[in-house]
Amino acid sequence: MSKKFHFKGRILMLGYGSVGRCTLPLIDRHFDMPLGHMAIVEADDRSDLLKRYIARGLKYETTPIVRENMASLLSKYLGKGDLLINLSVEVSSIELMNWCQAHGVLYIDTCIEPWAGYYDNASIPTHERSNYFLRYSAIENARKWPKGSPSALLTHGANPGLISHFIKQALLDIAKLRGLSASKPKSKAEWARLMMKTGTKVVHVAEHDTQISSDPKKPGEFVNTWSVPGFVGEGLQPSELGWGTHEKRLPHDGNEHPIGPRCAIYLSQPGCVTQVRSWTPIGGPLIGFLITHGEAISTSDYFTVWEEGRAIFRPTCHYAYHCCNDAVLSVRELQMNGFHMQKQHRILGPEITQGIDELGALLMGDFGAYWYGSQLSIEEARELLGPEFNATSIQVAAPVLAGAMYLIEHPNLGLLEPEDIDHDYVLDVCRPYLGPVVGVHSDWTPLKERGRLFEEAHLDWDDPWQFRNFRVS
Amino acid sequence: MSKKFHFKGRILMLGYGSVGRCTLPLIDRHFDMPLGHMAIVEADDRSDLLKRYIARGLKYETTPIVRENMASLLSKYLGKGDLLINLSVEVSSIELMNWCQAHGVLYIDTCIEPWAGYYDNASIPTHERSNYFLRYSAIENARKWPKGSPSALLTHGANPGLISHFIKQALLDIAKLRGLSASKPKSKAEWARLMMKTGTKVVHVAEHDTQISSDPKKPGEFVNTWSVPGFVGEGLQPSELGWGTHEKRLPHDGNEHPIGPRCAIYLSQPGCVTQVRSWTPIGGPLIGFLITHGEAISTSDYFTVWEEGRAIFRPTCHYAYHCCNDAVLSVRELQMNGFHMQKQHRILGPEITQGIDELGALLMGDFGAYWYGSQLSIEEARELLGPEFNATSIQVAAPVLAGAMYLIEHPNLGLLEPEDIDHDYVLDVCRPYLGPVVGVHSDWTPLKERGRLFEEAHLDWDDPWQFRNFRVS
Ligand SMILES: NC(=O)c1ccc[n+]([C@@H]2O[C@H](COP(=O)([O-])OP(=O)(O)OC[C@H]3O[C@@H](n4cnc5c(N)ncnc54)[C@H](O)[C@@H]3O)[C@@H](O)[C@H]2O)c1
Ligand SMILES: NC(=O)c1ccc[n+]([C@@H]2O[C@H](COP(=O)([O-])OP(=O)(O)OC[C@H]3O[C@@H](n4cnc5c(N)ncnc54)[C@H](O)[C@@H]3O)[C@@H](O)[C@H]2O)c1
């Protein structure tokens, strides 16, 4: 990445939160483009943090975007050939995309966001509060776009985003390990066949954030390593998972969807109280939250093998998120308080004393378990970008950078999901920002050490990869 | 407590852990007795912490007590009229008591401990790993003692211990509130009748320890505000609760006992993964661990109303323990690691930055909810005893002091449980060490705020006080 990436358009970045703050220096570092061509709009006034960029020409505005002011605001900063990087919360991704389509503007985000007041609105039917439904709506919405319309890349952060590329790399590694032909598949159908051939049954986004801090979470405070409203929002959505064809039965509280590809199910409880077992190489066995995430839906859809209209293979696919310890405690407090979000928010930065955000894809099946991902430490994160950054936000910002480059180089592909773009391209751009990127084979299964002190009557000892064996709560 | 308490016998204290360290200065402060009459024996060498006491004559010895050396060791320090204060872990309470009976020695402990390697020994049947069974064994064992034998007070720390006296005081307050005759009952039968008359259905030991520290728990470390092996030991026992006569059905994993008074049940899982909702006045709604505790068994037995051999009234009674945040995380890690106790242990002391150990009895029923207990803050704890102490250990040590005094004044009562001794006596001795001691009426129920975002199909909306409404995991 010695040569700078040339871009002659303008960039508008919405949101300058934990991810935005990390993305700006990456763009500044890698793009050959005057800062005067770049603008940031966000809801909170953080101009103090941006002084040195504003001095170099960056445009900055504090305006909460709502349905009514969206179009006029976007037109101020964007026109044909430009790029919108959406790193805000509570601004509708679909409406932003539609505006971009109408105005020839490239689009990227890291989450399909609805307008404010959606996730915790009990008057919206549960299944419509799902990511499955939000993704379905985004895809349906894009059906009317003409072929060759401006590229719009959905959910290209760390996870969703980067993780889909980790999954593909893991799959190639496993294929090699198993002595299968490991040439890189060229289509969705080929990728799905390869996964089936490897004997993969389950794919976890297995993340263990071990960053700890010297300033403990206080009562009434939600502490996290990235967006608090972002995390709470997805935590209050129904727990969702791609539902594999090897699963023997639906969970007692599992629900199928009435529409769309039916690759995923949702549980009748929020993700922030749904816990599952998983594993990462450094952290070891973990218990994490099964928070809904875009990739649980998109990858289970992508890796489905269809034969005569029947899905003959699909992996179970979901998130298993051991957030940082202070966030674990914050989630617990949220549950104690009847899911009313705490008023005080804090994103950990300089107070972090040690830790790693170990984030990867854990593929499990006939071959055992194989984890492929990033083990970025707080020390390395600080070396890369400075003392105010943490490992988590860099893992999100690097794929935003890669996605933006990809869009600029491939401007006419219409709607894109992470699975639709070349994983080597993205990994090559991101690698310098990910710390050690490793693939590790393990004999871990969710049945390891189970039933030692107490019998666990509900376990399926015949097939370790049944969802019931992973589920804790 | 201006006049010192005179004792002419000797005292042997077993164990000088978090509780012992707190008990010694209290005895030194309140007892009129030369320190040369006192000895401490423990397994770990902590003589460095004891220098100023040893200089004043305290005898100190580091010897792990095992079955084989117990008798010879006790005879070195104890004889007729003396007192054994057992604050150790992993030394059999029953065998210590039997030795004391044989040698005319008074006895007090804060937990019925078995020899090492009991709680996590899967070859012992689950029901025998219960506190119900340990208490049953202790009571059966004492049947052979003659009338008027030396007093032996079981489980007289904070909880079990002090909490039984809080329950009685709460009951008197509720009776008054409800306009019932509130004269102090004189027998077990009268106390039980009074509880029935008040409409009490459920009694929680509702504890919320909000002490937090500037030195966060590290991976592989178990951090707590009192004994780590003590907490892990009881956390790995089956979850146990006194089982109320108002309960409509046994939990799906609930088990009745084959022997004894059958006042309690146990669940087929350890307490450290069993979570329940409860409430304290300052902390508000909480989710805590349903760890087995002596008082869940003894109070449900004590407050049972019998008619013609049938239990016509009994409260559901159990612990709901929101341990300090670092311990919550430590328990989570313990579960992730298949219940193998972490190697590193730390008891929080000077690194605590703020917090309260809010510990009380929460009685619930026809009158709503009423909490009575102690709200000792870290600041007050430090003022009382010094900067190295925390709130938790003082709450345990004060009732040990009170229990010791009671034994000396009532030396011939044989086996005693906390319910058997006068609650005013104990509260009067303890009050100076408990911070604010308050009684608070509340409209909290476990159904408050439930089912807001997601339906919870298993709830019993007709009776808030059913165990299923409290249970989280
Ligand atoms: N895919 C991933 O790996 C990943 C990881 C982290 C975050 N995210 C997503 O990225 C987004 C940003 O996360 P973050 O951690 O930076 O969030 P943050 O809470 O730190 O910042 C949110 C930003 O959005 C702005 N904002 C809020 N409402 C707005 C409005 N109405 N108009 C304009 N701006 C508004 C805020 O001012 C702030 O700058 C979220 O959607 C989050 O879910 C994705
Ligand atoms: N009832 C309550 O409220 C309450 C509260 C806290 C603790 N406790 C109980 O009090 C006891 C002590 O708790 P703690 O927090 O002080 O424990 P701790 O772990 O801090 O200390 C334990 C002590 O026991 C000693 N010990 C261990 N094995 C021994 C052996 N074989 N022989 C002699 N001594 C031995 C250790 O050397 C140490 O001094 C435990 O049984 C615990 O469950 C009761």
Side-chain angles (χ1 to χ4, degrees), chain A residues 275 287 332 338 340 449 452, chain B residues 275 287 332 338 340 452:
Chain A
Q275 301 203 59
I287 291 175
R332 183 187 177 87
H340 297 286
E449 295 274 1
R452 192 169 60 87
Chain B
Q275 301 202 59
I287 292 175
R332 184 186 177 88
H340 296 286
R452 191 169 61 86

Side-chain angles (χ1 to χ4, degrees), chain A residues 123-404:
Chain A
S123 72
I124 299 170
T126 314
H127 82 94
E128 291 191 12
R129 283 181 264 149
S130 68
N131 277 334
Y132 181 94
F133 185 83
L134 288 169
R135 171 179 182 256
Y136 171 80
S137 308
I139 293 173
E140 284 299 302
N141 169 74
R143 289 200 196 283
K144 55 179 189 271
W145 300 354
K147 210 176 140 57
S149 78
S151 300
L153 176 51
L154 283 176
T155 65
H156 206 263
N159 50 321
L162 182 59
I163 193 71
S164 298
H165 312 303
F166 284 162
I167 293 174
K168 284 185 177 169
Q169 190 53 53
L171 201 51
L172 292 177
D173 290 1
I174 294 164
K176 208 176 206 168
L177 221 108
R178 305 213 80 190
L180 303 171
S181 140
S183 70
K184 189 168 159 181
K186 285 180 202 67
S187 66
K188 169 184 175 319
E190 283 181 25
W191 277 109
R193 284 268 162 200
L194 180 61
M195 187 175 277
M196 180 168 80
K197 243 166 63 184
T198 57
T200 301
K201 301 286 191 300
V202 178
V203 177
H204 281 185
V205 179
E207 177 171 9
H208 195 163
D209 181 348
T210 60
Q211 292 171 97
I212 54 179
S213 115
S214 58
D215 186 2
K217 169 193 156 15
K218 316 244 167 348
E221 187 186 37
F222 199 117
V223 176
N224 196 15
T225 50
W226 58 283
S227 175
V228 172
F231 186 26
V232 171
E234 66 184 35
L236 294 184
Q237 288 182 267
S239 195
E240 288 184 270
L241 56 161
W243 192 241
T245 44
H246 74 291
E247 299 285 359
K248 295 180 191 167
R249 48 181 152 136
L250 212 61
H252 69 279
D253 55 351
N255 307 279
E256 289 173 325
H257 284 277
I259 43 160
R262 293 181 170 75
C263 56
I265 63 169
Y266 66 95
L267 308 180
S268 304
Q269 63 179 27
C272 68
V273 306
T274 308
Q275 301 203 59
V276 289
R277 292 171 191 276
S278 191
W279 182 88
T280 62
I282 296 178
L286 69 83
I287 291 175
F289 297 106
L290 200 174
I291 303 268
T292 181
H293 253 204
E295 72 271 22
I297 324 292
S298 64
T299 57
S300 61
D301 194 1
Y302 191 82
F303 289 101
T304 303
V305 176
W306 293 95
E307 254 175 28
E308 296 166 13
R310 250 185 70 241
I312 61 157
F313 168 78
R314 179 187 301 125
T316 288
C317 182
H318 59 80
Y319 199 12
Y321 182 28
H322 192 313
C323 47
C324 72
N325 276 349
D326 280 322
V328 168
L329 296 169
S330 302
V331 166
R332 183 187 177 87
E333 188 181 58
L334 180 72
Q335 185 187 6
M336 295 188 334
N337 292 334
F339 303 124
H340 297 286
M341 184 164 66
Q342 289 93 327
K343 296 245 157 51
Q344 303 297 321
H345 301 170
R346 176 155 56 101
I347 294 180
L348 291 177
E351 66 268 58
I352 295 172
T353 56
Q354 65 175 69
I356 295 176
D357 200 332
E358 202 178 11
L359 165 65
L362 181 68
L363 276 62
M364 290 163 276
D366 303 346
F367 49 86
Y370 187 84
W371 188 94
Y372 187 92
S374 149
Q375 300 173 323
L376 185 61
S377 69
I378 181 65
E379 292 80 14
E380 197 166 340
R382 285 173 177 159
E383 264 170 43
L384 284 167
L385 283 190
E388 69 272 36
F389 295 94
N390 63 42
T392 314
S393 45
I394 298 183
Q395 286 170 331
V396 187
V400 173
L401 174 75

